Amino acid sequence: MNDYIARVSENLRRQYAHEPEYLQSVGAWLDMIAPAADDPRYEKLDLITRMVEPERMFSFLVPWVDDEGVTHTSHGYRVQFNSAIGPYKGGLRFHPSVTGSVVKFLGFEQTYKNALTGLPIGGAAGGADFNPTGRSPREIMRFCQAFMYALYRYIGADTDVPAGDIGVGSREIGYLYGAYKKVTGRAESSALTGKGLTYGGSRVRQAAAGFGTVYFLARMLEHQGETLEGKRLLVSGFGNMSWGVCRKAAELGGRVVTLSGPDGYVYDPDGVCTQEKYDFMAAMRCQMGQDRVEPYAERFGVEFFPGKKPWEVPGDIAVPCATENEITVDDAVLILANGVRYYVEGANMPATADALRLLRLSPKVLTAGAKASGSGGVAVSALEMVQNSLRYSWSRREVDEKLRGIMSAIYDASAAAAEEYGLGYDLIAGNDIAAFKKIAEAMIAQGL
Ligand code: GLU
């Protein structure tokens, strides 16, 4: 790490000591890009500071009324992180754990995740500390409307384009878009992505995050002369990302044997690989809305392990798809001990800094980071924007093929950058470096 980066890092630690998630994600990234950061222009232009801090960030109150007539006040956020290569773009998360630090870390990750999709999108993130668990559909709608009334002035097709994340799926995007349309009086389709197919959404968007991760994984397997055929995948979470991974893995001959929630994990030795199981996953998330995975075990007669994580199960491939920091050092040790040979991140920053270090440095496992293997969702969001501006929609096959091509290009760019900097097959560092260089060049070209 050169003196300039060390100084930037120290300043951040001093300034944002109370923002642990943000410091963790930036800290890991600074380590990764260090081998490529010696260009004297970076210090002269103070470029690294401008790349790790958001261009703009704001918070707002979201007052809303529940079904009993009681008023609640939630805290909303939007971080417009970086617009060097396109309008701000990134998800909204509705979860009680949402804080300014969480949103800032998500916006940071999103910026560098979006950079290599090959589509012109900057990075953003947002959300609220609203807890959708147990809320009625009417309460969800009212909350989405209240949230949009506070946000609508600051977003738009050419400025900032929100989408979903934890707690925000197609139902919420529908309400958010409906509210946006009402207050602005315009059917501005690409002001939001993840829309339903009947009103400007893209085919494959729902499954895109998981499909993208499996496409990336398939390239890693190919590099090792292997395929997904017969492989056991350990997946955490049971949301959109997990759902897409189950489907695409099954299509390519693999078998997802675990799913998890805050209540524990389920072990399904036959694999989550039938339409009935996919539909049930979606229903657990939406209709049941309880944020529990145990109903899957009851429904399909498989074992449920309360309070446990899936990493104690033997498998070939670990795909964390739940949330940040779910993998601790103990979990990483289990992953390595259980014969896992591929660790491919779906969720953003799923491992703690120490756990990731352990996995990355182990010769037993090949690793891919969420900024690469987790970018399928946003890639199809960007394709949704393209279709909206064309006033046209592509077929499922066209979108899926484009997604596969994008994931493959991200893989190639990551592998090439790692090679160029003498880092071997370090796809995490390679991806961070390639994205860093792309955004750096775009920022330099546009002046201050
Ligand atoms: N939250 C998603 C992600 O992490 C979606 C972002 C988007 O589609 O804008 O990529």
Side-chain angles (χ1 to χ4, degrees), residues 144-158:
C144 289
Q145 291 170 338
F147 186 87
M148 188 49 85
Y149 296 155
L151 185 65
Y152 80 95
R153 286 172 203 283
Y154 309 103
I155 63 169
D158 294 317

Side-chain angles (χ1 to χ4, degrees), residues 78 89-93 106 110 113-114 121 124 161-166 193-194 205 209 241 346 348 374-382:
R78 187 72 181 165
K89 178 88 198 82
L92 296 172
R93 177 177 292 190
L106 289 171
Q110 195 78 52
K113 177 191 273 195
N114 294 1
I121 42 176
V161 184
D165 196 273
I166 294 171
T193 62
R205 176 62 189 87
M241 172 67 84
N348 292 307
S375 51
V378 75
V380 173
S381 273

Side-chain angles (χ1 to χ4, degrees), residues 311-373:
W311 317 121
E312 58 185 30
V313 178
D316 304 298
I317 300 163
V319 191
C321 298
T323 192
E324 62 270 11
N325 290 330
E326 58 156 318
I327 295 174
T328 62
V329 167
D330 289 347
D331 297 321
V333 168
L334 276 177
I335 287 174
L336 293 171
N338 277 330
V340 168
R341 288 176 299 120
Y342 297 86
Y343 166 81
V344 181
E345 294 181 347
N348 292 307
M349 201 169 74
T352 63
D354 289 338
L356 181 63
R357 203 165 300 125
L358 197 67
L359 292 164
R360 255 187 83 230
L361 300 180
S362 165
K364 288 193 193 161
V365 66
L366 298 180
T367 52
K371 291 193 220 71
S373 45

Side-chain angles (χ1 to χ4, degrees), residues 59-213:
S59 62
F60 42 93
L61 290 182
V62 188
W64 61 282
V65 180
D66 70 19
D67 286 346
E68 267 70 60
V70 178
T71 298
H72 301 260
T73 311
S74 298
H75 301 87
Y77 304 87
R78 187 72 181 165
V79 182
Q80 299 180 330
F81 213 99
N82 190 294
S83 59
I85 62 178
Y88 302 111
K89 178 88 198 82
L92 296 172
R93 177 177 292 190
F94 293 167
H95 192 271
S97 65
V98 167
T99 60
S101 168
V102 166
V103 167
K104 227 162 124 180
F105 121 70
L106 289 171
F108 175 77
E109 298 272 317
Q110 195 78 52
T111 299
Y112 295 92
K113 177 191 273 195
N114 294 1
L116 295 187
T117 57
L119 291 145
I121 42 176
D129 58 359
F130 168 72
N131 187 359
T133 304
R135 288 292 170 197
S136 74
R138 279 190 341 203
E139 289 175 319
I140 300 276
M141 180 175 79
R142 279 201 301 276
F143 180 78
C144 289
Q145 291 170 338
F147 186 87
M148 188 49 85
Y149 296 155
L151 185 65
Y152 80 95
R153 286 172 203 283
Y154 309 103
I155 63 169
D158 294 317
T159 48
D160 181 359
V161 184
D165 196 273
I166 294 171
V168 180
S170 54
R171 175 182 59 174
E172 290 74 19
I173 291 292
Y175 294 146
L176 289 162
Y177 180 68
Y180 182 81
K181 205 175 61 177
K182 246 183 200 143
V183 288
T184 60
R186 280 178 299 138
E188 183 190 342
S189 309
S190 50
L192 283 154
T193 62
K195 298 181 295 295
L197 278 180
T198 52
Y199 60 96
S202 173
R203 294 193 171 78
V204 191
R205 176 62 189 87
Q206 295 270 49
F211 280 18
T213 302

Side-chain angles (χ1 to χ4, degrees), residues 2 4 34-44 436 441 444:
N2 66 34
Y4 169 53
D38 276 334
D39 189 324
R41 293 176 305 168
Y42 299 159
E43 178 167 5
K44 198 151 170 253
F436 158 66
E441 287 311 320
I444 292 169

Side-chain angles (χ1 to χ4, degrees), residues 233-254:
L233 287 84
L234 311 176
V235 165
S236 61
F238 66 98
N240 249 1
M241 172 67 84
S242 317
W243 183 71
V245 168
C246 291
R247 290 178 47 193
K248 190 53 81 177
E251 197 184 306
L252 301 180

